[in-house]
Every structure is written in structure tokens, then in C-alpha cells.
Amino acid sequence: MMTADPQSIQKLSFNLLVRNLHQETFEVNNTISKAGRKKDIGVSNVTWNFSAPCSSVSEVQESTSTLLAARAFAKAGYVVQAWESLLSFFQGQHEDGFLPMFRYSPHIEDNQIYIENSTIPGPYIGLHLASLPMHASIVLDVFAMSNQTQEDVSNLQILYTNILKYHQWIQDNQMFVHPWETLWSTKSWVQPLADVRLEMQSKNWKVPFEVPIAVKQSYKYISDVYEPSIYLLQECREKEVITSASCALHFDSVDRTAILVRAYEDLMQMRAVLRGRYVEVEEFPDSWLENSQKLLSSLWNEYYQTYLPQRTFNSTETYEWIVEPDASIFVGLWADLKNESRVYNMASKLMQREDDNFFFFDCGIHAVWSIGGCDPSSAISPLLNYLITAGLQQNGAGGMEYYISNATTNRLFGNDTTDFAEAFQAPSGKPFHNMDSCSLSSTATAAIVYDLSTGFVISRSFLVDPPIRNSSVIVLVLIELVIAFSIGASCLLLNLKLLRQEFRESQQLQHEQEEIHLIEDGGYYSAANSIDGDNEHDGNASIKSDDEAENFLE
């Protein structure tokens, strides 16, 4: 198997990121449509570059791919591009704070079901799916990699406010999480959605549109999961009055809960950074973090020694474990667990090749498969492996992150392929590719490969006090020069004064010495005797003044 040169990996992945950039002009008259997606940003004709999810789609932004691309651009030194892509995505945020998974260009109709020749949902579906809440963590990384200028602080403040609105919406509407809003594999959802399928049958409900062939051929498609997912969207998100019993089923997924824990920690860090730069910021309760940490802790299953998702029944406040060996359980490491025992137990499952309950994931040289037990129906997801790598690194799992990171990049290029697929087949490692023209040029995968090939870890160091502007530096330098010149001039004048004083004192001393010599030689007496006799002296003649003495000596 060929191992790709890291520099060629970086170049290929970054070139794809650039190729997937597109421009859009946001106009002040983009009023809110009935679907709430064309938001007035209060700026006239501002044009931003944004990252599309793949090369064949140019009028859509997807949340996770936007975040990963922004981090990669910032890491490569293109921080302005990172900010533009992030700011443009948030123009799709609804007034109530809801942040859809997709942002669409204004001319795409609200009733479009799918983007042509792709598995990307159109507004009809995509506007009702919530984004994976990784925004705070990635935005903080982008700011850490910037020069932290006043403009960077301004962008951080804008995004902090918008992210806070989204998390307020999550707090108010967190009882229902859609299957497509988690990182669970499709197969793992078959059993948990059994009750939803029964409700659909009782109502004789059918999918109200023809499912595109590209969607049916996707590796994610299972009818027993796809149809209930569309049903839940219509019953639990689109309707103003919810009557479906299925909407009362609350799923707590490990991946989403861990991502929320870290998001609240990073929101606190963002708040501290902005305060340190003298920026007034909106508050949020510390209970958000505390409650999410408690929820994540409650998902720990002692018997299986790992995190497992739960399904809660609101009517009885009881829950049941969803025992599926799905690799998304390892995204629990995305949060800082502060529990060495749990980190060890989870990491050991990544290295196990046998287990009675199929909770083993070491399937050879490949990266982590989506389903435990080395199930041949698994997919190899670069996104899932990326999050696991980052989680292992954060929790100090003894260097295992490098093993999975290398396995991920080698898996992508080990077969002499340059396809940046959304996912790869297990066990062959070939990219999934059907009729979806978008599947081989994934922005998310390109960003992940670039990030991993350049070393995931970044330094999160922040300037507490604002950096001094260039103009301020010039003023300070001028002030220092003036002070230095004043001190120098004062020293010069003082030296001149001292020199004059020394000169006078030396002259006076010389005069006094000459007078003494005259007295000793008798010249003084001879001169005194030649004066008019009326001026008699007692033998110690004196000079009346300095002038007289000088005239006399002359």
C-alpha cells in the first residue's frame, strides 16, 4: 500500500478547499422569507467568500464543512477568509436563534427538496435541521490563530452573540433531536425508530415526495430510517402545533452531548477573552455547562464501560439504554472528561479486536469503522475519525491520536486515490461514489486531511490586553524621542554651565596664585610705596576690587 507524501496531501487538500470557495453578495433588502432564511444583515452589498460543501454545489453552505474549512484556512494563514466564511453562514440564522444546518442562496426556492445531482437537502428539508453545535469551539480556534487585532475581536464579538442565540434556542427546544442531527450511523437508528414506524403505519403516512435516485443509492440510505426521519421533520419541526407522540421521545446522543459540553466551556473562554479586551458581552448561565456535564456523565454505562445514548420517555421520565456498538460513542472524548479511568476504558476499545458485545473497533490498518465488531457494512467516516483524534488528544490518551490520524490520512490516499470522499467503504477502503456528483470532492474531508496532515494541535493563547495600534506606537515613539531630546538638552546646558563655572573658578585661582608670588618677591611693597603718601598702609596692602587687581597685574 502506498503512503502519500504529507506535503502532497496538504497541497491537494488545500487546492480543493480553494476550488470549493464561492462568492455571494448579501444585500440589505434581503428580507426574511416565510421560511425565515433570508436575513437582513443591515449591510448594503457586502460580498463574502464562503465554502460550499463540495465542488459541484455553489449556492449552499453546510455548517460542519464551513467550520472545518474555516479552521483549515486560519491554520494556513488565511484568517480573513476564515472569518468571511463563518460570518456568511450565520446570515442563515433565524430570528429566534435557530441555526439551520444549511444556508441557501436567496434565489433557491423554499420548496426545493434536494439540490440537483446530490444528496444535499434543499430548503424543504434542510431548513428544519439544526446545526451540530461545534461553532464556539471552531470560532475560538480561528481567533487563537489570528493576530488578535481589533478587527479579529470585532468578528469574535459578532459570532459570540450569534452563537449564544443559537444555544439559547437549544436550551428552549432541546427535548427533540432529529436523527440527522447526530453522528450515529444509519444502521444504528433502525431499532430506536421502531415506535415511529408504528405510528406512521397507524396513520398510513407516506413520504410526500419522490426520493431521488442519488439519495437511494447513498451509503446512508435505509428506508426504515429515512422515512421515519422525514416523518419526524414534518411532525416535530414543521408544524406549529405538535401532536405526534413520537416527538415526545427524547434521544440523548453521546456525540451531541459531548460537543455541547465543550461548546459551553469555549463560550466561557470567548466571554473571558472579550472581557479582557474591554468588550461588553451578553451573559449566559453557568448551569448550561453544569447540566450538560451531568447529562454526559449520566450516559456512562458501567456494564459496557463506555458512553451509550439513551432514549427518554417524557410522560414517565424513564429512560432506556440504546445498546448499539456505534463509533459515535467515542466522540464523548471531544469533551474534557477529567476522568482517566473512563478515557482508558474507551481508548482500549479502539485497540480491541474481540469482544462479546461487539464493542471492539480495531479492524486492522484502517481508521475507525462506523460500526463495532468490524461489521463489513460499516463506513469509514473522516469526520468521525477527526473528532475521535481530537478527543484523544484533548484527554491525553497516550499518543493514540497519532495512530488514528495517520490511519485516516493513509486510508484516504493509500490506494493511490486523490478523491476526497465524504466516506469510504469498509473493508476495501474505496470511496463511496454513486450518482452523487458531490461525494468525491467533500470540503469537510479536504479540511480534515489538511488539518491532520499539518498537525491537529494548535496553541490557544490569547492577548488579555488589546495590542497597541501602529498609530499609537508612532505617538509613543515620538513622545519618547521628545523626552529623550529634552533630557539630552538639559544635560548639555548643565554641562555648559558647569564648564563656565569651572573656567571662572580656575581663573580666580590663577589670579590668587599670582598675587601670592608678587607679595613674596617684594614687588607688591615697591608698588605700594610709590603711591601717594597720603595712602599709608600697615604693611598689608589690599586691592580695592577685582578690576583694580586685574589692572594692576597687567
Side-chain angles (χ1 to χ4, degrees):
M1 177 175 291
M2 182 197 73
T3 301
D5 176 20
Q7 291 186 346
S8 66
I9 292 178
Q10 294 173 26
K11 184 177 180 180
L12 288 169
S13 57
F14 191 77
N15 286 346
L16 180 58
L17 289 176
V18 174
R19 191 162 68 246
N20 289 356
L21 282 176
H22 298 278
Q23 280 191 345
E24 184 172 346
T25 299
F26 297 84
E27 299 177 355
V28 72
N29 60 355
N30 277 355
T31 55
I32 301 173
S33 72
K34 63 180 181 180
R37 66 184 175 91
K38 298 172 184 175
K39 185 177 179 182
D40 181 351
I41 64 172
V43 179
S44 179
N45 297 329
V46 58
T47 300
W48 282 325
N49 291 305
F50 68 91
S51 294
C54 64
S55 298
S56 60
V57 174
S58 61
E59 298 168 333
V60 181
Q61 251 186 299
E62 188 273 331
S63 178
T64 302
S65 61
T66 294
L67 294 174
L68 295 173
R71 192 181 195 274
F73 276 119
K75 199 173 186 183
Y78 297 93
V79 177
V80 172
Q81 174 54 55
W83 288 130
E84 285 189 9
S85 198
L86 291 168
L87 291 168
S88 64
F89 180 76
F90 273 88
Q91 305 321 311
Q93 188 170 23
H94 292 195
E95 290 298 309
D96 63 355
F98 176 68
L99 188 62
M101 189 178 295
F102 299 91
R103 182 190 68 79
Y104 303 91
S105 295
H107 70 272
I108 296 180
E109 296 297 330
D110 289 346
N111 61 357
Q112 185 167 339
I113 299 173
Y114 278 94
I115 304 302
E116 187 176 0
N117 295 324
S118 78
T119 58
I120 297 176
Y124 180 82
I125 297 175
L127 289 179
H128 303 287
L129 293 170
S131 297
L132 198 64
M134 295 172 54
H135 309 85
S137 301
I138 301 300
V139 167
L140 191 60
D141 282 347
V142 170
F143 181 76
M145 289 184 282
S146 73
N147 291 327
Q148 302 184 23
T149 64
Q150 191 57 44
E151 184 177 358
D152 295 320
V153 173
S154 178
N155 290 330
L156 183 67
Q157 180 185 11
I158 293 170
L159 292 169
Y160 170 84
T161 302
N162 291 335
I163 294 170
L164 202 59
K165 289 180 180 178
Y166 180 40
H167 282 280
Q168 183 62 64
W169 181 89
I170 291 174
Q171 293 295 316
D172 297 338
N173 300 273
Q174 62 182 347
M175 293 308 295
F176 173 74
V177 176
H178 191 271
W180 294 348
E181 295 168 352
T182 72
L183 296 174
W184 293 10
S185 64
T186 305
K187 184 178 180 180
S188 298
W189 273 106
V190 174
Q191 185 274 329
L193 293 176
D195 292 340
V196 180
R197 289 193 296 274
L198 290 175
E199 183 175 292
M200 290 164 48
Q201 293 172 5
S202 68
K203 295 182 178 181
N204 198 27
W205 184 92
K206 302 294 182 183
V207 175
F209 55 83
E210 184 177 353
V211 181
I213 296 177
V215 174
K216 287 185 175 181
Q217 291 186 343
S218 168
Y219 74 97
K220 294 180 179 179
Y221 183 81
I222 299 176
S223 60
D224 280 351
V225 175
Y226 181 85
E227 292 176 4
S229 297
I230 297 297
Y231 175 79
L232 289 172
L233 275 182
Q234 290 193 336
E235 294 294 318
C236 308
R237 284 274 168 82
E238 293 184 24
K239 289 185 176 181
E240 294 183 3
V241 179
I242 296 175
T243 59
S244 171
S246 296
C247 301
L249 296 179
H250 175 51
F251 294 92
D252 291 318
S253 68
V254 176
D255 53 299
R256 194 174 181 88
T257 303
I259 288 171
L260 282 173
V261 170
R262 184 162 172 182
Y264 294 136
E265 291 174 342
D266 290 334
L267 269 175
M268 289 181 173
Q269 180 69 70
M270 291 169 67
R271 181 176 63 186
V273 169
L274 289 169
R275 284 176 175 173
R277 302 296 289 269
Y278 313 114
V279 176
E280 293 185 5
V281 293
E282 189 176 348
E283 292 292 334
F284 64 92
D286 293 343
S287 60
W288 288 6
L289 174 60
E290 295 168 0
N291 292 337
S292 61
Q293 288 174 328
K294 289 179 182 177
L295 176 57
L296 181 61
S297 181
S298 71
L299 298 181
W300 181 259
N301 187 290
E302 289 292 341
Y303 178 79
Y304 291 99
Q305 287 295 293
T306 186
Y307 291 101
L308 288 176
Q310 293 176 355
R311 182 170 65 167
T312 305
F313 298 85
N314 294 338
S315 58
T316 60
E317 295 186 356
T318 59
Y319 67 88
E320 66 176 9
W321 295 100
I322 301 177
V323 184
E324 294 285 346
D326 193 283
S328 65
I329 61 176
F330 296 109
V331 182
L333 294 164
W334 179 261
D336 187 0
L337 299 182
K338 300 180 178 66
N339 188 316
E340 292 183 5
S341 175
R342 291 184 178 182
V343 172
Y344 172 80
N345 286 328
M346 293 192 71
S348 65
K349 295 184 183 301
L350 290 170
M351 303 300 294
Q352 281 183 254
R353 294 195 176 187
E354 187 176 342
D355 181 271
D356 293 339
N357 300 301
F358 298 99
F359 281 92
F360 61 93
F361 292 83
D362 186 357
C363 301
I365 61 174
H366 305 315
V368 179
W369 295 14
S370 61
I371 302 175
C374 298
D375 188 326
S377 66
S378 296
I380 301 174
S381 167
L383 174 59
L384 195 59
N385 279 271
Y386 176 82
L387 296 176
I388 294 173
T389 297
L392 290 168
Q393 186 276 325
Q394 170 154 291
N395 285 279
M400 280 191 60
E401 66 271 18
Y402 298 108
Y403 170 79
I404 295 178
S405 174
N406 292 334
T408 302
T409 53
N410 289 340
R411 179 69 271 148
L412 292 171
F413 290 89
N415 291 331
D416 198 17
T417 178
T418 57
D419 292 326
F420 290 87
E422 178 184 341
F424 294 79
Q425 302 175 40
S428 68
K430 295 180 179 179
F432 279 109
H433 176 52
N434 297 309
M435 292 184 64
D436 180 6
S437 61
C438 199
S439 61
L440 298 181
S441 59
S442 168
T443 294
T445 299
I448 287 167
V449 171
Y450 181 83
D451 206 345
L452 293 180
S453 63
T454 54
F456 174 83
V457 182
I458 65 168
S459 174
R460 272 191 176 183
S461 58
F462 304 104
L463 299 173
V464 177
D465 295 319
I468 302 175
R469 297 179 180 178
N470 291 338
S471 58
S472 302
V473 172
I474 294 173
V475 171
L476 287 175
V477 170
L478 290 175
I479 293 174
E480 290 179 357
L481 288 174
V482 170
I483 294 174
F485 179 79
S486 301
I487 294 173
S490 300
C491 292
L492 179 61
L493 292 174
L494 180 61
N495 287 335
L496 290 174
K497 182 177 180 182
L498 291 174
L499 287 173
R500 291 181 61 186
Q501 182 177 348
E502 183 180 3
F503 178 74
R504 288 181 177 177
E505 290 177 351
S506 64
Q507 279 191 327
Q508 183 176 357
L509 179 60
Q510 182 179 0
H511 296 164
E512 292 176 354
Q513 289 176 346
E514 289 180 353
E515 288 178 14
I516 294 172
H517 289 309
L518 288 173
I519 293 172
E520 291 176 349
D521 294 339
Y524 187 88
Y525 289 106
S526 299
N529 291 333
S530 65
I531 299 175
D532 187 11
D534 294 337
N535 292 328
E536 293 183 356
H537 298 275
D538 60 359
N540 291 315
S542 62
I543 305 300
K544 301 290 185 179
S545 66
D546 289 339
D547 291 337
E548 290 176 348
E550 289 179 3
N551 293 333
F552 174 77
L553 291 174
E554 290 175 355

